[in-house]
Amino acid sequence: MQAENRSEHQSQPSRSSRSSHSSYSSHSQPPAPLISARSRSQPAVSMKLETVIPNFKAQTTEGPISFYEWQGNSWVVLFSHPADFTPVCTTELGRIAVHNPHFQKRNTKLIALSCDKLKDHNDWVADIKSYCLDIPGAFPYPIIADESRELAVSLDMIDAVNKDNPELAMTVRALYIISPDHKLKLSMNYPASTGRNVDEILRCIDSLQLVSRLKVVATPANWTPGEKVMILPSVKEEELPRLFPKGVDKVSMPSGKVYVRTTTDY
Ligand code: BEZ
């Protein structure tokens, strides 16, 4: 992995740094914050929601990539896992591979990361394919080989307990959903002991893509596409007929406050 190596993390990069990033991005947008390699144990950028993921170069099972160029105009699920040749990770990478067509349908690219060697990744992919016989065709997404852990540190994917010990430090099960403008829209952090749920990842993408298109709603607990959504409290009563011509339900509450307004008109 080669992080874009700059001396300072700048939230408002200068004009010159802006132009140095432009070749990686297909969007007219503010440039990324810049990764600093100051420390091998501290994230170079905050991974708070809405952070612009810094561009980076990496070696992967599909060849070297420059992240922004590879991302193109897609959404991305970038996820780390503790190590190759481990059982839970095998199920995770396998189930995510099986569901690749569902990610493709959502204009979403997948990319995994761990701190193992490229050769291990390639050997392990053969195991995953043998274990998950329902993966159609070639393994459908790249796996980043981040042997130096530099990228994992930069993206805050290293477990906190062992982060300063390169012998023991592993990537956690971090998962970032990134919008086409390279912004971190959702993050999940699971411990090594708990494999992730692919349906939940897809459900989150559905919610994020809906609210990115229709900025006046939010999706409730356990929502899946087609079910009612919540209208944002900031939407004024008089705007409702224009925004939701097919109707709005207003739920009466003991408090007398009307704040649960739902619609399936989206
Ligand atoms: C696993 O993928 O099975 C695993 C990896 C690291 C620690 C514990 C479990």
Side-chain angles (χ1 to χ4, degrees), residues 55-71:
N55 196 16
F56 58 84
K57 292 183 167 67
Q59 297 298 328
T60 82
T61 48
E62 296 182 5
I65 63 158
S66 179
F67 180 66
Y68 283 8
E69 196 170 50
W70 173 85
Q71 176 177 18

Side-chain angles (χ1 to χ4, degrees), residues 99-108 110 198 201-202 205:
H99 285 81
N100 183 53
H102 298 281
F103 290 97
Q104 283 180 319
K105 222 164 42 189
R106 290 163 172 81
N107 183 33
T108 301
L110 297 162
V198 184
I201 301 166
L202 289 166
I205 294 170

Side-chain angles (χ1 to χ4, degrees), residues 53-228:
I53 302 295
N55 196 16
F56 58 84
K57 292 183 167 67
Q59 297 298 328
T60 82
T61 48
E62 296 182 5
I65 63 158
S66 179
F67 180 66
Y68 283 8
E69 196 170 50
W70 173 85
Q71 176 177 18
N73 223 355
S74 301
W75 289 69
V76 168
V77 174
L78 166 61
F79 63 104
S80 59
H81 59 95
D84 294 355
F85 305 110
T86 51
V88 175
C89 298
T90 301
T91 63
E92 282 194 323
L93 271 81
R95 293 334 295 165
I96 290 173
V98 168
H99 285 81
N100 183 53
H102 298 281
F103 290 97
Q104 283 180 319
K105 222 164 42 189
R106 290 163 172 81
N107 183 33
T108 301
K109 288 184 174 177
L110 297 162
I111 189 162
L113 179 155
S114 73
C115 301
D116 296 289
K117 297 181 179 61
L118 209 49
K119 169 152 186 2
D120 286 347
H121 283 347
N122 285 321
D123 292 347
W124 183 44
V125 159
D127 286 1
I128 298 171
K129 280 187 62 70
S130 146
Y131 185 73
C132 300
L133 291 172
D134 47 350
I135 299 171
F139 196 76
Y141 56 85
I143 307 174
I144 295 171
D146 183 28
E147 270 190 87
S148 70
R149 293 183 161 72
E150 209 176 305
L151 182 58
V153 170
S154 297
L155 297 177
D156 203 10
M157 291 170 152
I158 295 286
D159 81 273
V161 177
N162 295 312
K163 69 180 169 54
D164 295 320
N165 183 342
E167 297 299 312
L168 295 178
M170 274 187 167
T171 32
V172 293
R173 300 188 197 283
L175 184 146
Y176 300 137
I177 303 180
I178 302 165
S179 51
D181 56 0
H182 315 304
K183 287 189 180 157
L184 177 60
K185 290 295 179 181
L186 185 143
S187 72
M188 299 176 184
N189 272 291
Y190 282 45
S193 53
T194 307
R196 289 159 285 198
N197 181 309
V198 184
D199 287 337
E200 175 61 3
I201 301 166
L202 289 166
R203 193 188 76 87
C204 290
I205 294 170
D206 286 334
S207 170
L208 292 168
Q209 293 186 344
L210 169 63
V211 303
S212 119
R213 172 174 65 79
L214 189 57
K215 295 184 171 47
V216 286
V217 299
T219 63
N222 290 358
W223 172 87
T224 55
E227 294 177 353
K228 68 187 175 191

Side-chain angles (χ1 to χ4, degrees), residues 215-257:
K215 295 184 171 47
V216 286
V217 299
T219 63
N222 290 358
W223 172 87
T224 55
E227 294 177 353
K228 68 187 175 191
V229 297
M230 303 308 195
I231 299 168
L232 293 187
S234 54
V235 176
K236 295 193 172 65
E237 180 71 18
E238 56 270 27
E239 296 175 298
L240 295 175
R242 177 180 60 82
L243 291 171
F244 309 104
K246 294 188 187 146
V248 169
D249 279 335
K250 295 172 204 165
V251 180
S252 57
M253 295 292 211
S255 65
K257 298 182 198 298

